Amino acid sequence: MQSDQGADLYTLYYAPDNASLVIRVVLEEIGAAYNTWLVDRTAREQESEAYRKLNPAGLIPVCIIDGEPVFETAAIALTLADRHGQLAPAPQSSDRPAFLKWLFFLSNTLHPDLRQLFYPQKFIDPDPATLSMHARKTRNRLEAHFGILEALYSGFDHPFLLGAEPTIFDIYAGLCLRWPQLYPAGSPPAFVPADYPVLSRMLQALEVRPSFKRAFEAEGIPAPFLSEARPCDGSLGSPV
């Protein structure tokens, strides 16, 4: 829910269909009051001096929590989950170590390789031969990561990591499986849900949740949101 009032009022700095969408879904799941601030990627606002005061790395998202800017997607999501006692095992739970292991697999392994695929010019020289080799190797790594997740979800008979209800890990994973269906624009998708039937079922279980409907519609993204990803409508600017 987006609101101007509430005991737990947050401000989410976002761009459409960016990592900030993970945090928007989390906020919707926990029912927190929050405001949003659109970061204009077309104008490279995320690289501005004002934005870098919030996140010196110049990356989206940032979430203002208790008046302080928090950045890094997993850090924001985990802070909100622990603060509200939802979407994550409690720190003392026996499920916590495995949960953190997989959460940081997303933030430290899968998500960085997605950035390598989407923004190669940030990492390598832009000559065509180098770009082609880089894309091939990155796609190979991503295919291995997707296989790891398929095997993980194949290991239990419930739809999400810890049972019938999602955690921030499942939400984050769902978005990490959406983006390579669409980006980089004009390239073959790096992730095809039909090739991963267990992950496809997980995505279908996520995308019908009211939190996803509210969050995705707020950013101009039509259904189905994850299992057959469609791009945002562009009304809020460029996602890349």
Side-chain angles (χ1 to χ4, degrees), residues 11 20 24 28 33 40 95 100 106 118 144 156 172 204 215:
T11 298
S20 49
R24 189 191 284 268
E28 291 288 347
D40 186 354
D95 289 328
L100 291 177
L106 295 178
F118 303 156
F156 33 76
Y172 195 176
Q204 291 167 10

Side-chain angles (χ1 to χ4, degrees), residues 14-37:
Y14 82 103
D17 209 11
N18 275 231
S20 49
L21 188 49
V22 175
I23 307 305
R24 189 191 284 268
V25 173
V26 168
L27 288 164
E28 291 288 347
E29 276 282 340
I30 63 181
Y34 69 99
N35 293 319
T36 57
W37 184 288

